[in-house]
Amino acid sequence: MINVIVAGFRGSMGQKTVELVKQTADFHLVGVYSPHVTELQPQKYGLADDVQVFNHLGTEMKSADVWIDFSTPTAVFENTKFALKSHIHPVVGTSGLNEAQLTELKALAKTQQTSGLIVPNFGISAVLLMKFAKEAATYFPDVEIIEMHHEDKLDAPSGTALSTAQAISEARKAPVQPEFKESVKGARGADYQGIRIHSVRLPGYVAHEQVLFGGAGEALTIRQDSFNRDSFMKGVAIAVRQVATLSELAVGLENVLN
Amino acid sequence: MINVIVAGFRGSMGQKTVELVKQTADFHLVGVYSPHVTELQPQKYGLADDVQVFNHLGTEMKSADVWIDFSTPTAVFENTKFALKSHIHPVVGTSGLNEAQLTELKALAKTQQTSGLIVPNFGISAVLLMKFAKEAATYFPDVEIIEMHHEDKLDAPSGTALSTAQAISEARKAPVQPEFKESVKGARGADYQGIRIHSVRLPGYVAHEQVLFGGAGEALTIRQDSFNRDSFMKGVAIAVRQVATLSELAVGLENVLN
Amino acid sequence: MINVIVAGFRGSMGQKTVELVKQTADFHLVGVYSPHVTELQPQKYGLADDVQVFNHLGTEMKSADVWIDFSTPTAVFENTKFALKSHIHPVVGTSGLNEAQLTELKALAKTQQTSGLIVPNFGISAVLLMKFAKEAATYFPDVEIIEMHHEDKLDAPSGTALSTAQAISEARKAPVQPEFKESVKGARGADYQGIRIHSVRLPGYVAHEQVLFGGAGEALTIRQDSFNRDSFMKGVAIAVRQVATLSELAVGLENVLN
Amino acid sequence: MINVIVAGFRGSMGQKTVELVKQTADFHLVGVYSPHVTELQPQKYGLADDVQVFNHLGTEMKSADVWIDFSTPTAVFENTKFALKSHIHPVVGTSGLNEAQLTELKALAKTQQTSGLIVPNFGISAVLLMKFAKEAATYFPDVEIIEMHHEDKLDAPSGTALSTAQAISEARKAPVQPEFKESVKGARGADYQGIRIHSVRLPGYVAHEQVLFGGAGEALTIRQDSFNRDSFMKGVAIAVRQVATLSELAVGLENVLN
């Protein structure tokens, strides 16, 4: 049985996570945390009588094994520090940690001998895509990325596409880039670490990524589709189960996929 | 029975066309033409005894119904003019006609009352893709194009992708373009007539085009793959059969697809 | 301005339709109908003061131009009969009409000189896929269908896939079926009207259909994805706008796509 | 420098392999073998003067490090035995070894302390697809396979699809199979080891395989396309380079991909 605290339990991801913990046989919800709540009766939030509702960090939290953090960019650093100091393994889904904070947290994890996991993307299909792409790139150095998102996504390329390109770029021997002449600028996409990325933005689409590899007489394509955030819960469950087996504060769900 | 002359019969497309005509029951090869040959015995080229081999334009050619031209950019204008003047319907697969020449040929077709067809692309799948894309754009104004070719193709976007964008652009009411911020330049592709085109270049690939339409809660995708030039012969056969039913010198295989 | 009544306004599709009508500038909601409601004040349902709430069919309904029916299989026949007799154009999204009822309604539409539209599928992408597939089949008689749905869909193949196969089968000259030996039964899919259909059932998937055409050296693929029912509203809007231009009681949204 | 003998050097794969060896800087062709040739001058076959042409197995072959076998199903067993006995590492692309022969060869490899590799499929994209599919199945037990081949392929499902299903089946915990009702028999495909396989046969297509994984709110798809046999040469090169590092007579190119 793994005892769990959910930080940021009132947000959209926090609520999904509370549901996940309640429904998983070997997970036990010991507490939920949000500095913004004033009511501390668990029943107010549809929680069992033995779940503690916290609105401040405190020593009563120490019974937990895993701290799942879906709080806010401003709170996540202090939360994670607190978890590590309390020997609770943090699983952090909140973004916003900068390089300096990450370095400090990694050092703290070491001195506290408490492992943890920072997870930029809980979607298993996206994480597997990245893992496979990295591996395939050794054999197929010629590769391009197409990512497709809903029309409201402003930034291009997507963060996942950039991470994928980075991973591929480190894994492969750089091939000779094919020459080209663009009759209309931008046709050949973005050049990131020598890898071409193409970003499609269309209504109806949600979040999709394709990695296309080509070689003499053959092609390999890896594609992932995220239709909704339900997909993240599978990743959260794996992280909670595996975080204690890590030897440090690691970054990326791939560290707990074998 | 349709009597056919093949101009440029020694080139790669010319040879395939000669084979096609020989193997099609209702086509009859009456002559082949190339100004570069000196031997005029048909047997030299594996042709039946009754096929005439020409190395200059002449009145003996007049028995033909259809003139299939796979000659050269420098010869195609004179060839087509000759065909029209001889009341032979030209089916032209050779590129290189400029706007002025096209205008002159169209006028000549009218005065000679001889229809013809200029065909930039004989691939039926590509022509159907363009036709369907144009039609779908009325209902789905949000659309992007991805074309994928072998790594030796220098120019980007491909000619077919540009033609497709043009056709879509004329058919649809222009939607509001989604805003975006490119963190790496080129991610959102080329903007041609308000339509985003993405060009992939990879070994192994041949010639492929996708048109992606998105709308609230749904998506429509049309894709065509050209694996080799065998695919063009189906288009040549349709053109030869239908060219006489046209009322002018038209451009595009879509004019003979109903 | 098109005056609209929505029958079955309390169901899921009915509610979406009411929202659509309210938000469309040239549509005017004059009434909603459900035999199951007892409260007749429009405010109870978030409707404007001038919208009439009906719980029985009656002559006050006659001011409407179009009757949108998302009622129930048992009510749809009487509803549509009533609409036609009242010279209101029916747009019927409810399933459950049998052949005899359809014949009777078609005859009634004729005598009443009131056109209407029965719509098995309001998804534009699905309807366009079917239309394009039918057209492509003339040129590419070799074709197979793959449909993919969520794992809870019991029946296979899907209704849309069967309709697509039917449409293709009528359009094409039947090709010679390739011979095969199945080492595991079912590999080559279902044979419907000489067309192979393959049904995939997986969690995560929603409703997707692909039609694959193959020819010498080339391939053409048409794919549609339905992610949610929002997509149907575009089809409802087109049907409402176009139904009065029909000359009979027609079946299929394709009748109002040009 | 790796010294290579090519057995079956006159066949289509044998010829490609000879070309490969000639063009690879660190491979050296020391001999070619076919029991059917009578002319033994290397020049007859476009080979360098120092290449020995053999028409029988003999001790002069012993200078080779690697024996590449693309001979015939009836010759492959004796050839491989000979290679192992001569301490030449066999890389076998010829099919036709039965279970008993394989067992005998494995034992021989052990006693001779000479490793080797039997390779059912040299296509890297196909082998990587299988490897990734196996890995993904741990996280996504819900999976189906679609394979697409040219219309002349008689057997369905393809051997690669069956191997993929086998590999997945061993890797995953078997999920509850979704129930279904086939209104047309075969719609849900072949059931092999609890995995549904769908076989498409169409002209234009060459050899393609897709593995579709579905989970709550997401999907992962791995696809490989083989356009021609050029793709196999990359696999042959890897096998030749790595075979000596193996500790046994292994089956499958995946043993030399890391």
Side-chain angles (χ1 to χ4, degrees):
Chain A
M1 185 68 69
I2 302 172
N3 291 316
V4 173
I5 281 182
V6 177
F9 80 106
R10 300 284 283 158
S12 136
M13 286 303 288
Q15 288 181 42
K16 276 182 199 291
T17 303
V18 165
E19 278 315 299
L20 170 78
V21 175
K22 284 161 71 175
Q23 284 161 26
T24 306
D26 58 328
F27 291 179
H28 180 225
L29 190 65
V30 294
V32 293
Y33 167 56
S34 166
H36 306 299
V37 299
T38 48
E39 308 265 16
L40 299 183
Q41 304 93 313
Q43 300 80 1
K44 286 275 174 189
Y45 309 100
L47 300 170
D49 295 1
D50 68 336
V51 180
Q52 278 190 275
V53 180
F54 300 102
N55 58 10
H56 64 275
L57 301 173
T59 49
E60 319 89 294
M61 288 169 163
K62 292 205 173 174
S63 64
D65 304 307
V66 174
W67 175 283
I68 309 178
D69 201 289
F70 282 112
S71 62
T72 63
T74 52
V76 61
F77 178 59
E78 287 305 325
N79 286 358
T80 309
K81 215 156 71 175
F82 171 83
L84 289 170
K85 283 186 176 167
S86 310
H87 295 285
I88 311 174
H89 300 285
V91 168
V92 179
T94 319
S95 61
L97 291 171
N98 61 36
E99 278 304 309
Q101 291 174 326
L102 199 56
T103 305
E104 187 179 335
L105 290 172
K106 282 187 174 187
L108 181 61
K110 194 170 257 175
T111 57
Q112 292 296 105
Q113 295 190 305
T114 302
S115 61
L117 192 63
I118 315 282
V119 185
N121 191 336
F122 276 109
I124 307 270
S125 62
V127 174
L128 286 179
L129 169 137
M130 225 176 294
K131 186 171 189 295
F132 296 157
K134 200 171 160 174
E135 205 171 329
T138 330
Y139 303 102
F140 291 104
D142 297 293
V143 51
E144 303 204 6
I145 297 171
I146 303 171
E147 52 95 345
M148 299 173 285
H149 282 84
H150 53 89
E151 83 275 36
D152 297 328
K153 186 173 177 64
L154 266 183
D155 55 310
S158 71
T160 311
L162 291 172
S163 304
T164 309
Q166 181 93 43
I168 290 172
S169 174
E170 286 161 11
R172 71 171 183 174
K173 292 189 212 96
V176 177
Q177 297 291 317
E179 275 179 61
F180 59 86
K181 277 192 288 194
E182 287 181 341
S183 66
V184 188
K185 217 176 44 186
R188 289 287 288 115
D191 179 347
Y192 186 71
Q193 310 273 350
I195 290 160
R196 295 277 151 186
I197 309 178
H198 311 270
S199 301
V200 173
R201 296 290 175 267
L202 284 172
Y205 281 76
V206 187
H208 319 259
E209 188 181 356
Q210 286 181 72
V211 187
L212 290 79
F213 296 95
E218 64 181 330
L220 177 70
T221 308
I222 309 172
R223 175 181 178 134
Q224 72 80 222
D225 302 271
S226 298
F227 298 118
N228 60 56
R229 295 187 156 196
D230 290 351
S231 59
F232 295 162
M233 287 305 114
K234 190 190 278 193
V236 172
I238 292 174
V240 169
R241 277 216 181 79
Q242 302 293 329
V243 63
T245 67
L246 292 170
S247 58
E248 51 166 4
L249 179 67
V251 178
L253 194 65
E254 59 273 26
N255 291 286
V256 290
L257 303 182
N258 41 17
Chain B
M1 186 67 70
I2 303 172
N3 292 315
V4 173
I5 281 182
V6 177
F9 80 106
R10 298 285 283 158
S12 135
M13 287 302 288
Q15 287 181 42
K16 277 181 198 290
T17 303
V18 165
E19 279 315 300
L20 169 79
V21 174
K22 284 161 71 175
Q23 284 162 24
T24 307
D26 58 327
F27 290 0
H28 181 225
L29 189 65
V30 295
V32 295
Y33 168 56
S34 166
H36 307 299
V37 301
T38 48
E39 308 265 16
L40 299 183
Q41 305 93 311
Q43 299 80 0
K44 287 275 174 188
Y45 309 101
L47 299 171
D49 296 0
D50 68 336
V51 180
Q52 280 190 275
V53 180
F54 300 101
N55 58 9
H56 65 275
L57 301 173
T59 49
E60 320 87 294
M61 288 170 161
K62 293 206 172 173
S63 64
D65 304 307
V66 174
W67 175 283
I68 310 179
D69 200 289
F70 282 112
S71 62
T72 63
T74 52
V76 59
F77 178 59
E78 287 306 325
N79 286 357
T80 309
K81 215 155 71 176
F82 172 81
L84 289 170
K85 282 185 176 167
S86 310
H87 295 285
I88 310 174
H89 301 283
V91 167
V92 179
T94 319
S95 61
L97 290 171
N98 62 36
E99 278 305 308
Q101 290 173 327
L102 199 57
T103 305
E104 186 178 335
L105 290 172
K106 281 186 174 186
L108 181 61
K110 194 170 256 174
T111 57
Q112 291 295 105
Q113 296 192 304
T114 302
S115 61
L117 192 63
I118 315 283
V119 185
N121 191 336
F122 276 108
I124 307 270
S125 62
V127 175
L128 286 180
L129 170 137
M130 225 178 291
K131 188 172 188 292
F132 296 158
K134 200 171 159 174
E135 206 171 327
T138 331
Y139 303 102
F140 291 104
D142 297 294
V143 51
E144 303 203 7
I145 296 171
I146 303 171
E147 52 95 346
M148 299 173 285
H149 283 83
H150 53 90
E151 84 275 36
D152 297 328
K153 187 173 177 64
L154 266 183
D155 56 310
S158 71
T160 311
L162 290 172
S163 303
T164 309
Q166 180 93 43
I168 289 172
S169 175
E170 285 161 10
R172 71 170 183 174
K173 292 189 211 97
V176 178
Q177 297 291 319
E179 276 178 62
F180 58 86
K181 278 191 287 195
E182 288 181 341
S183 65
V184 188
K185 215 176 45 182
R188 291 286 288 116
D191 179 347
Y192 186 69
Q193 310 274 350
I195 291 161
R196 295 278 151 185
I197 308 179
H198 311 270
S199 301
V200 173
R201 295 291 175 268
L202 284 172
Y205 280 76
V206 187
H208 319 258
E209 187 181 356
Q210 287 181 72
V211 188
L212 290 78
F213 296 94
E218 64 181 331
L220 178 70
T221 308
I222 309 172
R223 175 182 177 134
Q224 72 80 222
D225 302 270
S226 298
F227 298 117
N228 61 55
R229 294 186 157 197
D230 290 351
S231 59
F232 295 162
M233 286 305 116
K234 191 191 278 194
V236 172
I238 293 175
V240 169
R241 275 214 183 80
Q242 301 292 328
V243 62
T245 68
L246 292 170
S247 57
E248 50 166 7
L249 179 67
V251 178
L253 195 65
E254 59 274 25
N255 291 286
V256 290
L257 304 182
N258 42 17
Chain C
M1 186 67 70
I2 302 172
N3 292 315
V4 172
I5 282 182
V6 177
F9 80 105
R10 299 285 282 159
S12 135
M13 287 302 288
Q15 287 182 42
K16 276 182 197 294
T17 303
V18 164
E19 279 315 299
L20 169 79
V21 174
K22 284 161 71 176
Q23 283 161 23
T24 307
D26 59 328
F27 290 180
H28 180 225
L29 189 65
V30 294
V32 294
Y33 167 56
S34 166
H36 306 301
V37 300
T38 48
E39 309 265 18
L40 299 184
Q41 303 92 313
Q43 300 79 1
K44 286 275 173 190
Y45 310 101
L47 300 171
D49 296 1
D50 68 336
V51 179
Q52 278 190 276
V53 180
F54 301 102
N55 59 9
H56 64 276
L57 302 172
T59 49
E60 318 89 293
M61 288 170 162
K62 293 206 172 174
S63 63
D65 303 308
V66 174
W67 174 283
I68 308 179
D69 201 289
F70 282 112
S71 62
T72 63
T74 51
V76 60
F77 178 59
E78 287 305 325
N79 286 358
T80 310
K81 217 155 71 176
F82 172 82
L84 289 170
K85 283 186 175 166
S86 310
H87 295 285
I88 310 174
H89 300 285
V91 168
V92 179
T94 319
S95 62
L97 291 171
N98 62 37
E99 277 304 309
Q101 291 174 327
L102 198 57
T103 306
E104 187 179 334
L105 290 173
K106 282 186 173 186
L108 181 61
K110 194 170 257 176
T111 57
Q112 292 294 107
Q113 295 190 303
T114 302
S115 61
L117 193 62
I118 315 281
V119 185
N121 192 335
F122 276 108
I124 307 269
S125 62
V127 174
L128 285 180
L129 169 137
M130 226 178 291
K131 188 171 187 294
F132 296 157
K134 200 171 158 176
E135 205 171 328
T138 330
Y139 303 102
F140 291 104
D142 297 293
V143 50
E144 303 204 7
I145 297 171
I146 303 172
E147 52 95 346
M148 299 172 284
H149 283 84
H150 53 90
E151 83 276 36
D152 297 327
K153 185 173 178 63
L154 266 182
D155 56 310
S158 71
T160 311
L162 290 172
S163 303
T164 309
Q166 180 93 45
I168 289 171
S169 175
E170 285 161 11
R172 72 171 181 173
K173 290 190 214 94
V176 178
Q177 297 291 318
E179 275 180 63
F180 59 86
K181 277 192 287 192
E182 287 182 341
S183 66
V184 188
K185 217 174 44 182
R188 289 287 287 115
D191 179 347
Y192 186 70
Q193 310 273 352
I195 290 160
R196 295 278 152 184
I197 309 178
H198 310 270
S199 300
V200 172
R201 296 290 174 269
L202 284 172
Y205 281 76
V206 187
H208 319 258
E209 189 181 355
Q210 286 182 73
V211 188
L212 290 79
F213 296 93
E218 65 181 329
L220 178 71
T221 308
I222 310 172
R223 175 181 177 134
Q224 72 80 222
D225 301 272
S226 298
F227 297 118
N228 60 55
R229 293 185 159 198
D230 291 352
S231 59
F232 294 161
M233 288 304 115
K234 190 191 276 192
V236 172
I238 293 174
V240 168
R241 275 214 183 81
Q242 301 293 329
V243 62
T245 68
L246 293 170
S247 58
E248 51 165 4
L249 179 67
V251 178
L253 194 66
E254 59 273 26
N255 291 285
V256 290
L257 305 182
N258 41 17
Chain D
M1 186 68 69
I2 302 172
N3 291 316
V4 172
I5 282 182
V6 177
F9 80 105
R10 297 286 282 158
S12 136
M13 286 302 289
Q15 287 181 42
K16 277 182 197 291
T17 303
V18 165
E19 279 314 300
L20 170 79
V21 175
K22 284 161 69 176
Q23 284 162 24
T24 307
D26 58 328
F27 291 179
H28 180 224
L29 190 65
V30 295
V32 295
Y33 168 56
S34 166
H36 306 299
V37 301
T38 48
E39 309 265 18
L40 299 184
Q41 305 92 314
Q43 300 79 0
K44 287 274 173 188
Y45 310 100
L47 299 170
D49 295 1
D50 68 336
V51 180
Q52 278 190 276
V53 180
F54 301 101
N55 58 10
H56 64 276
L57 301 173
T59 49
E60 317 90 293
M61 289 170 163
K62 291 205 173 173
S63 63
D65 304 306
V66 175
W67 175 283
I68 309 179
D69 201 289
F70 282 112
S71 62
T72 63
T74 52
V76 61
F77 178 59
E78 287 305 325
N79 286 357
T80 309
K81 217 154 71 174
F82 172 82
L84 289 170
K85 282 186 176 165
S86 310
H87 295 285
I88 310 174
H89 300 282
V91 168
V92 179
T94 320
S95 60
L97 291 171
N98 62 37
E99 277 305 308
Q101 292 174 326
L102 199 57
T103 305
E104 188 178 334
L105 291 172
K106 283 186 173 186
L108 181 61
K110 194 170 257 175
T111 57
Q112 293 294 107
Q113 295 190 305
T114 302
S115 61
L117 192 62
I118 315 282
V119 185
N121 192 336
F122 276 107
I124 307 270
S125 61
V127 175
L128 287 179
L129 170 137
M130 226 176 293
K131 187 171 188 292
F132 296 157
K134 200 170 158 176
E135 204 171 329
T138 330
Y139 303 101
F140 291 105
D142 298 293
V143 51
E144 304 204 6
I145 296 171
I146 302 172
E147 52 95 344
M148 298 174 284
H149 283 83
H150 53 90
E151 84 276 36
D152 298 328
K153 185 173 178 64
L154 266 182
D155 56 310
S158 70
T160 311
L162 290 171
S163 303
T164 309
Q166 181 93 44
I168 290 172
S169 174
E170 284 161 12
R172 72 171 181 173
K173 292 189 210 96
V176 178
Q177 297 291 317
E179 275 179 61
F180 59 86
K181 277 191 288 194
E182 288 182 341
S183 66
V184 188
K185 216 176 44 185
R188 290 287 287 114
D191 179 348
Y192 185 70
Q193 309 273 351
I195 291 161
R196 295 278 152 185
I197 308 179
H198 311 270
S199 301
V200 172
R201 295 291 174 268
L202 284 172
Y205 281 76
V206 187
H208 319 259
E209 188 181 356
Q210 287 181 72
V211 187
L212 290 78
F213 296 95
E218 65 182 329
L220 178 71
T221 308
I222 309 171
R223 175 180 177 134
Q224 72 79 222
D225 301 271
S226 298
F227 297 118
N228 61 55
R229 294 186 158 196
D230 290 351
S231 59
F232 294 163
M233 287 305 115
K234 190 190 277 192
V236 172
I238 292 175
V240 169
R241 276 215 182 80
Q242 301 293 329
V243 63
T245 67
L246 292 171
S247 57
E248 51 165 5
L249 179 67
V251 179
L253 194 66
E254 59 273 26
N255 291 285
V256 290
L257 303 183
N258 41 16

